[in-house]
Amino acid sequence: MPTSLKTIKSRLDEHLGEGLTVVAQAGRKKVVRRKGTLAETFHSVFVVDLDQNENSFERVSYSYADLLTKSIDITFDSDEAEEVEADAE
């Protein structure tokens, strides 16, 4: 089922302030994994505040089109916790 940019934004709005992991394609065979918190959502981009212990800069922004085209993948910490609980049952 195709997803629209508006739908992606509304789903991200539900997770504002939550911890997440962003996996981004940085080249042919290079993948960058960053942990942080979903800080803000705007009309065409969203902002992630990164963990300062792991990264050299404070914030990074991505467009909703990055999610739509699967250039990046987002996993929320709350989703990971639910998966662990489901596996334990």
Side-chain angles (χ1 to χ4, degrees):
M1 176 179 214
T3 304
S4 69
L5 298 178
K6 188 175 181 178
T7 305
I8 292 171
K9 182 185 183 315
S10 66
R11 288 183 182 168
L12 287 177
D13 285 338
E14 296 172 2
H15 293 283
L16 280 173
E18 288 188 33
L20 56 80
T21 302
V22 178
V23 179
Q25 301 293 328
R28 281 182 67 188
K29 295 183 179 182
K30 188 174 180 184
V31 176
V32 176
R33 185 178 306 268
R34 295 185 175 122
K35 290 189 177 201
T37 305
L38 181 59
E40 298 177 81
T41 59
F42 295 102
H43 180 67
S44 59
V45 297
F46 60 97
V47 178
V48 177
D49 286 336
L50 299 174
D51 291 341
Q52 291 304 301
N53 298 335
E54 299 179 10
N55 300 288
S56 59
F57 42 94
E58 294 180 19
R59 306 177 106 192
V60 65
S61 64
Y62 298 100
S63 72
Y64 303 119
D66 291 335
L67 282 171
L68 187 63
T69 61
K70 301 185 191 245
S71 298
I72 64 170
D73 184 37
I74 293 180
T75 306
F76 289 97
D77 295 345
S78 61
D79 293 342
E80 290 177 357
E82 289 174 6
E83 288 177 11
V84 170
E85 290 175 5
D87 289 343
E89 293 178 354

